[in-house]
């Protein structure tokens, strides 16, 4: 596979699309949808802007997606060193959920001891967010920092769902080099020709007869 980086360049994906696929947009703007990405499609994450992620496909087509849902491709351990711990270890999220539950339990006990002190209860749980569902070997853990749910099978985590859509589009960036032809959309056969952006005429067309 090659990329627009140059002839013969090897496409090295950094992520794959989750099993349900991903909606995609032409820009970090929910009013500009484009072709959705197929499930398990390898992509390279080019940049991040809040919740948004700009991804590049093997055929040179790029789009913006909700970067929180991309599944990272595992990296091999460093040469000559010991294997590193799994990047998607569910342990940290389990510890966070346990700490949050313990904090809430203490606040509830304090409120039971002094029901009139509701102000102290609200202060003790201010900003507290946690979520965990365990069903046999499966577990769903809430990642409060990323505002998303993760699925765990006992050894690894994978993005499952997000609490809300991508954040507000960032401020316009200074003009730079023009983007390359996006080419065909991922997962599709022959792509339809790309249309030119709508342009506003600065003057009316000439009248018949040259006037």
């Amino acid at each position: 596979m090659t990329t627009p980086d140059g002839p013969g360049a090897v496409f090295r994906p950094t992520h794959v699309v989750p099993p349900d696929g991903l909606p995609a947009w032409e820009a970090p703007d929910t009013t500009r949808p484009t072709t959705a990405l197929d499930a398990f499609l390898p992509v390279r994450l080019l940049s991040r802007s809040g919740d948004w992620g700009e991804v590049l496909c093997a055929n040179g087509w790029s789009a913006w997606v909700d970067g929180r849902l991309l599944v990272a491709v595992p990296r091999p351990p460093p040469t000559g060193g010991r294997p590193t711990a799994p990047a998607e270890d569910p342990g940290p999220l389990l510890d966070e959920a346990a700490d949050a539950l313990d904090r809430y339990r203490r606040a509830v006990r304090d409120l039971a001891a002094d029901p009139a002190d509701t102000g102290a209860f609200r202060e003790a749980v201010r900003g507290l967010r946690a979520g965990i569902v365990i069903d046999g070997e499966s577990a769903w853990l809430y990642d409060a920092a990323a505002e998303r749910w993760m699925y765990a099978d006992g050894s690894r985590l994978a993005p499952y769902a997000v609490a809300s859509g991508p954040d507000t589009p960032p401020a316009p960036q200074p003009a730079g080099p023009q983007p390359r032809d996006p080419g065909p959309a991922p997962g599709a056969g022959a792509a339809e020709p790309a249309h030119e952006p709508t342009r506003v005429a600065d003057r009316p067309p000439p009248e018949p007869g040259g006037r």
Side-chain angles (χ1 to χ4, degrees):
M1 294 181 288
T2 60
T3 72
D5 296 337
V10 178
F11 178 75
R12 300 186 184 279
T14 59
H15 295 75
V16 295
V17 174
D20 293 332
L22 271 183
W25 293 267
E26 296 177 355
D29 182 349
T30 54
T31 65
R32 299 177 60 184
T34 185
T35 306
L37 302 185
D38 291 341
F40 303 112
L41 181 75
V43 297
R44 185 201 301 173
L45 182 62
L46 300 178
S47 62
R48 290 294 297 265
S49 180
D51 297 337
W52 295 91
E54 183 184 15
V55 296
L56 176 71
C57 302
N59 63 357
W61 190 82
S62 64
W64 288 84
V65 300
D66 191 334
R68 297 171 295 176
L69 290 174
L70 292 171
V71 181
V73 174
R75 295 180 178 275
T79 303
R82 298 179 59 186
T84 57
E88 296 294 330
D89 179 7
L93 281 186
L94 287 169
D95 291 340
E96 290 178 13
D99 291 343
L101 178 60
D102 188 55
R103 176 179 162 186
Y104 191 83
R105 182 188 295 114
R106 292 197 304 269
V108 169
R109 288 175 178 171
D110 292 343
L111 181 61
D114 185 4
D117 195 1
T118 57
F121 174 76
R122 288 194 296 269
E123 186 62 28
V125 298
R126 185 185 304 277
L128 186 63
R129 301 184 72 187
I132 180 170
V133 176
I134 299 177
D135 183 10
E137 64 183 23
S138 299
W140 291 263
L141 307 171
Y142 184 66
D143 183 353
E147 295 187 331
R148 63 181 179 178
W149 283 89
M150 305 289 288
Y151 171 77
D153 61 3
S155 61
R156 294 188 61 81
L157 285 174
Y160 181 75
V162 292
S164 60
D167 59 7
T168 304
Q173 299 296 317
Q178 294 297 316
R180 299 181 177 90
D181 183 0
E192 296 181 2
H195 62 274
E196 291 292 329
T198 302
R199 300 186 179 185
V200 179
D202 55 3
R203 59 183 180 179
E207 299 179 358
R211 297 187 179 184

